[in-house]
Amino acid sequence: MKLRVNGQPATLDIPDDVPLLWAIREELGLTGTKFGCGAAQCGACTVLVDGQARRSCVTAVGDVADHEVTTVEGLAAAGTLHAVQQAWLDENVPQCGYCQVGQIMAAVALLAARPDPTDDDIDAVMTANLCRCGTYPRIRAAIRSVAATAKGGR
């Protein structure tokens, strides 16, 4: 099985039906992606597949063999955090932090699709990722901050 994860090729000796989450964590050692519910309901396992948010706990590794997979470890470039990661820090988004990797990945996909999302756009996407600590207002503020910076304002 050949994959491309975070811009790097990887060859794995695993069956096609293994969940992508386990290939990422156990085979590639990239533990940023979290196991939450195992049923695509919480979003903790969200990664990007060709730039689109996908729940890795229910995505078979064989289904992404010809696609680019990006995990949270692949967002930062040349030692600089991705704008969404930096906004998460600037806005003090995380509390317990467990869901935040999935939240960040969903936000990256949202901003790629809608660079200037409305509050309704943000809520529609981000409430699908569960946050037990209720940091949704700070999540929204972080996403707004990235969108404003991208537009040249702040």
Side-chain angles (χ1 to χ4, degrees):
M1 165 78 49
K2 292 182 187 256
L3 293 177
R4 187 155 184 85
V5 179
N6 299 330
Q8 301 297 315
T11 302
L12 305 176
D13 187 22
I14 57 174
D16 288 358
D17 62 348
V18 169
L20 178 58
L21 172 66
W22 300 119
I24 290 168
R25 288 183 60 81
E26 301 299 324
E27 299 296 322
L28 298 176
L30 300 171
T31 58
T33 305
K34 303 299 183 208
F35 175 78
C37 66
Q41 299 297 307
C42 74
C45 68
T46 302
V47 297
L48 303 181
V49 177
D50 295 335
Q52 302 294 311
R54 293 271 293 268
R55 303 295 206 252
S56 64
C57 70
V58 296
T59 299
V61 71
D63 292 342
V64 299
D66 296 323
H67 303 276
E68 178 66 33
V69 176
T70 305
T71 69
V72 71
E73 292 92 344
L75 290 181
T80 301
L81 292 177
H82 184 281
V84 172
Q85 292 172 306
Q86 187 61 56
W88 246 242
L89 294 175
D90 294 345
E91 298 293 335
N92 297 310
V93 173
Q95 277 189 353
C96 82
Y98 199 81
C99 71
Q100 295 306 311
V101 169
Q103 300 278 5
I104 288 169
M105 300 308 286
V108 168
L110 167 63
L111 288 164
R114 301 198 110 166
D116 191 18
T118 65
D119 285 348
D120 288 341
D121 295 334
I122 294 169
D123 293 347
V125 170
M126 301 311 295
T127 57
N129 284 49
L130 301 180
C131 175
R132 298 187 101 182
C133 302
T135 64
Y136 297 111
R138 291 187 299 218
I139 289 168
R140 186 188 298 144
I143 293 169
R144 278 195 208 134
S145 171
V146 174
T149 301
K151 284 183 4 182
R154 179 97 164 127

